[in-house]
Amino acid sequence: MDLAPITAEASAAIVRSDRERVRYAVLGALALVAGIWIVWLAAFALGWDMNALGIRPRDPRGLVGILTAPFVHASFEHLMSNTLPLGLLSAFTLYAYPRAARYALPLIWIVSGIGVWLWARPSLHVGISGITHGLMFFLFVIGLLRRDRLGVSIALAVFFLYGGMTMTVLPREENVSFEYHAAGAIAGLIAALAFSALDPAAPRKRYSWEDEENEETQAAEFGYRNEIERNGLEPDRPRNVPILWDGSRPRQAGGDNVIEFPPPRREGPTLH
């Protein structure tokens, strides 16, 4: 689905297009969140052992976890803590960068899993927090790179809401996979650098008062110059200005180029 780009004018067609973008972003985010919940609820109801779907670093049997580990969560609390960040960040991504999202989300998903499999501690790594970290870093960095109004606004909102993710890429708790967080952050940074130019930036809206102000300023400057030229107030060219003082002539006291000052008056000592 190729969505129309965001434009500066709020016409009826643009409003419809923007509603379509919002619907696309919300439905895409809900589908992703629903997929995570469906897998977890099915495993819980049927008593499946989901450990086989996690990432086991440097174990060939753990390679499948690169694709399946984000669907696996260690507990209900773990799943709940990831639901809201995943929904908001994915919705922001799909709304602001629909073209880049097609490539950024798969890249973050796969690269973060590969990073965990290559360099993480020898343990079982599960959860979608690596993807949420990747989306957070992607939205923040791409907003700084593009520097348009929408990108900067979303970057500031994301950093305000989830800026604490910048600290969780470091080892803090024993049972938390900071390796997944760090790998996701690196993948998000790579995606932002690679796909920042895929979505066209919205043109800056120019208001009518800006044009009127420019016209009035130009008219005032033009009239001011004409008035100066008419009244002869424009200074002459430097070459036509007479020399007021010639350094080659000797200075004479009382002349037109030396001012004689009276000698200083002697006063008493300074008192403190």
Side-chain angles (χ1 to χ4, degrees):
M1 182 179 182
D2 197 5
L3 299 176
I6 298 175
T7 59
E9 300 297 334
S11 63
I14 298 306
V15 171
R16 287 196 302 270
S17 175
D18 191 63
R19 289 176 179 172
E20 184 181 355
R21 292 174 70 97
V22 172
R23 189 180 303 109
Y24 171 74
V26 172
L27 292 178
L30 287 177
L32 185 58
V33 172
I36 302 298
W37 272 87
I38 289 172
V39 172
W40 190 86
L41 291 174
F44 178 78
L46 300 176
W48 294 343
D49 184 11
M50 302 292 288
N51 291 336
L53 300 180
I55 301 177
R56 296 184 182 275
R58 294 167 296 281
D59 186 351
R61 293 174 298 177
L63 284 172
V64 67
I66 295 175
L67 298 178
T68 59
F71 292 98
V72 184
H73 288 80
S75 63
F76 179 76
E77 291 77 12
H78 185 203
L79 177 63
M80 284 294 297
S81 65
N82 286 330
T83 298
L84 184 58
L86 177 63
L88 285 178
L89 294 173
S90 58
F92 281 149
T93 303
L94 292 171
Y95 173 76
Y97 313 107
R99 296 181 183 176
R102 302 170 186 174
Y103 306 98
L105 185 57
L107 185 144
I108 293 171
W109 194 297
I110 295 174
V111 171
S112 61
I114 293 175
V116 171
W117 190 85
L118 290 175
W119 294 296
R121 291 168 291 176
S123 183
L124 181 67
H125 298 259
V126 297
I128 203 167
S129 55
I131 312 301
T132 58
H133 279 69
L135 291 176
M136 182 270 173
F137 275 80
F138 170 77
L139 290 171
F140 183 71
V141 174
I142 198 173
L144 299 182
L145 293 176
R146 291 169 60 93
R147 291 183 291 182
D148 59 341
R149 184 178 302 177
L150 177 63
V152 172
S153 300
I154 290 180
L156 293 177
V158 164
F159 190 80
F160 175 77
L161 293 172
Y162 300 113
M165 288 184 179
T166 58
M167 299 301 298
T168 58
V169 300
L170 302 175
R172 302 179 65 188
E173 300 180 29
E174 183 179 358
N175 295 328
V176 174
S177 177
F178 73 92
E179 298 96 333
Y180 218 154
H181 300 170
I186 294 173
L189 176 61
I190 295 173
L193 295 174
F195 309 128
S196 61
L198 287 183
D199 292 276
R204 179 182 176 274
K205 182 177 181 180
R206 188 170 185 84
Y207 297 92
S208 59
W209 58 264
E210 294 181 284
D211 296 329
E212 294 173 359
E213 184 180 19
N214 290 338
E215 292 175 0
E216 293 176 357
T217 303
Q218 292 175 2
E221 291 179 354
F222 183 73
Y224 178 71
R225 291 197 192 96
N226 290 341
E227 185 68 21
I228 288 178
E229 292 176 358
R230 242 189 340 265
N231 297 334
L233 300 178
E234 182 74 19
D236 203 350
R237 297 175 179 273
R239 74 178 76 156
N240 299 330
V241 176
I243 299 176
L244 301 180
W245 174 73
D246 187 0
S248 62
R249 294 188 298 171
R251 297 185 179 185
Q252 298 178 358
D256 59 354
N257 55 6
V258 177
I259 299 177
E260 184 177 0
F261 292 92
R265 185 174 59 185
R266 294 184 177 273
E267 299 179 353
T270 302
L271 302 180
H272 297 281

